[in-house]
Amino acid sequence: EIVLTQSPGTLSLSPGERATLSCRASQSVSTYLAWYQQKPGQAPRLLVFGASGRATGVPDRFSGSGSGTDFTLTISRLEPEDFAVYYCHNYDSSRRTFGGGTKVEI
Amino acid sequence: EVQLVESGGDLVQPGGSLRLSCAASGFSFSDYAMSWVRQAPGKGLEWVSIITSGGGRTSYADSVKGRFTISRDNSKNTLYLQMDSLRAEDTAVYYCAKLEGPSFVGLLNYWGQGTLVTVSS
């Protein structure tokens, strides 16, 4: 089973700042890596797929990068609505996994 | 518009059973693989199970293998999760999610709002 390790666990930032979230896989997932945003009481929302592709309707302040085992989600300038929990997810096999999440808080 | 509506969540005693349903609309259900993902209170996301578009292949997380069964009825546009021998650690919000294609390898591109399962005496 592929283990996804996200860091940091919590990121304390202010609106307008840059956020850099990391996801490391225990073995290569190529670019079968997605990022989801989740707010309290809501279902996860797809942000990034294929490691760097932005989902429909996602603002361009969100960008993903990486391949193989090391991935990054960057939020260039935090807006108030961006404070949430972010999960990475590998989807290259029948048995997929999620990272533990990074909470971006004010 | 893609819609996924889960139902069937309830309070159940340890060792009990429950069947969750996910009613799909807004897309050709029989063309897409489907999955269940759960989230325990205050915890992260955990993938549970997946089924191909025709229902011929399934896969499960180790934590539920042998206790949960995923199935689908393409004539009713509905996904199911039969949950047996339930444990306290199965307490979670259960989400159904649509994949981007018919097979196991694919993005979870749409999610339902979830249904809460509570296992407690």
Side-chain angles (χ1 to χ4, degrees):
Chain A
E1 176 181 292
I2 295 173
V3 176
L4 297 179
T5 302
Q6 290 188 241
S7 61
T10 302
L11 204 49
S12 298
L13 295 167
S14 299
E17 290 192 297
R18 181 185 187 90
T20 303
L21 288 66
S22 173
C23 176
R24 176 163 290 179
S26 59
Q27 62 190 78
S28 177
V29 299
S30 183
T31 56
Y32 290 99
L33 194 287
W35 290 92
Y36 294 88
Q37 177 194 66
Q38 189 180 36
K39 297 179 181 179
Q42 296 185 16
R45 171 198 179 196
L46 177 65
L47 295 177
V48 169
F49 62 93
S52 60
R54 251 190 315 274
T56 303
V58 174
D60 60 8
R61 62 180 181 273
F62 290 91
S63 63
S65 63
S67 66
T69 60
D70 289 295
F71 301 89
T72 301
L73 176 70
T74 302
I75 311 171
S76 59
R77 288 179 58 86
L78 283 164
E79 297 287 341
E81 61 267 28
D82 299 337
F83 291 91
V85 180
Y86 294 83
Y87 295 95
C88 58
H89 171 56
N90 77 288
Y91 56 96
D92 74 330
S93 75
S94 63
R95 301 184 69 198
R96 44 189 64 214
T97 53
F98 289 89
T102 291
K103 182 178 182 180
V104 178
E105 64 176 23
I106 299 176
Chain B
E1 178 193 4
V2 172
Q3 286 202 321
L4 300 169
V5 180
E6 302 93 337
S7 61
D10 204 347
L11 171 64
V12 60
Q13 291 191 340
S17 297
L18 205 59
R19 189 176 83 156
L20 305 183
S21 299
C22 172
S25 61
F27 65 101
S28 181
F29 182 71
S30 60
D31 288 341
Y32 295 92
M34 298 292 294
S35 187
W36 289 98
V37 176
R38 69 183 181 183
Q39 186 170 37
K43 302 297 184 182
L45 300 170
E46 180 188 14
W47 172 76
V48 172
S49 184
I50 193 168
I51 186 168
T52 50
S53 58
R57 290 183 64 202
T58 59
S59 183
Y60 300 90
D62 287 342
S63 58
V64 306
K65 192 179 296 184
R67 300 187 300 121
F68 289 12
T69 303
I70 190 172
S71 64
R72 62 192 297 160
D73 185 336
N74 286 345
S75 68
K76 295 182 178 180
N77 291 346
T78 303
L79 175 73
Y80 302 102
L81 186 67
Q82 177 66 41
M83 310 164 67
D84 298 320
S85 303
L86 283 161
R87 307 166 179 167
E89 54 265 35
D90 296 318
T91 294
V93 172
Y94 285 74
Y95 296 100
C96 76
K98 169 189 168 294
L99 274 78
E100 62 180 342
S103 66
F104 282 162
V105 179
L107 189 63
L108 301 175
N109 56 2
Y110 289 94
W111 297 59
Q113 286 303 305
T115 187
L116 176 62
V117 173
T118 303
V119 184
S120 175
S121 55

